[in-house]
């Protein structure tokens, strides 16, 4: 069975296959982009995550795919291949906040957003 992970904007709860856990930082919406805490999302799917404070690079490895993103840089790599995002990861609440779409695409995770009455992103459902 595929893992299903749900995060909610401005909530420090993450739900994996119906099990609720608390995470350090809540997903946020900034400039019409949804950012999620990288480590919490990656680890929910069983990825190995490492942060290099010297270079501010965060690396996640899942199912043979390695993604490296750097704070403040729109450049990132997937298995060593260079790619570009339209917004850069940043540090928020001591967590690396990354744009959800690029992380999901890199790992082949399906993303299904839900929206509130105002059209803002409310919940993000991830399916691996």
């Amino acid at each position: 069975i595929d893992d299903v992970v749900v995060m909610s904007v401005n909530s420090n709860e993450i739900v994996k296959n119906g099990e609720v856990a608390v995470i350090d930082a809540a997903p946020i919406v900034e400039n019409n982009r949804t950012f999620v805490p990288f480590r919490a999302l990656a680890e929910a799917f069983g990825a190995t995550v490492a942060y290099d404070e010297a270079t501010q690079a965060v690396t996640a490895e899942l199912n043979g795919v390695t993604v490296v993103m750097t704070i403040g840089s729109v450049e990132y790599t997937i298995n060593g291949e260079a790619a570009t995002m339209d917004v850069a990861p940043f540090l928020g609440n001591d967590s690396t906040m990354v744009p959800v779409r690029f992380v999901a695409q890199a790992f082949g995770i399906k993303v299904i957003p839900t929206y509130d009455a105002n059209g803002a992103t409310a919940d993000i459902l991830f399916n691996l």
Side-chain angles (χ1 to χ4, degrees), residues 23 55 57 69-70 72 93-94 109 112 116 125:
I23 53 178
T55 61
M69 293 183 168
T70 304
N93 296 333
D94 291 328
I109 298 169
I112 303 155
D116 65 18
L125 184 138

Side-chain angles (χ1 to χ4, degrees), residues 22-100:
V22 175
I23 53 178
D24 293 344
I28 61 166
V29 176
E30 193 167 284
N31 298 328
N32 296 319
R33 289 284 183 281
T34 303
F35 289 85
V36 296
F38 190 62
R39 179 180 296 275
L41 177 63
E43 287 181 347
F45 283 108
T48 307
V49 182
Y51 179 69
D52 183 335
E53 207 161 311
T55 61
Q56 291 198 310
V58 63
T59 302
E61 195 274 324
L62 177 67
N63 298 335
V65 177
T66 301
V67 176
V68 181
M69 293 183 168
T70 304
I71 303 295
S73 174
V74 295
E75 304 293 321
Y76 69 110
T77 62
I78 304 170
N79 289 341
E81 295 285 320
T84 306
M85 301 176 273
D86 59 354
V87 288
F90 63 91
L91 280 177
N93 296 333
D94 291 328
S95 290
T96 303
M97 303 297 289
V98 296
V100 93

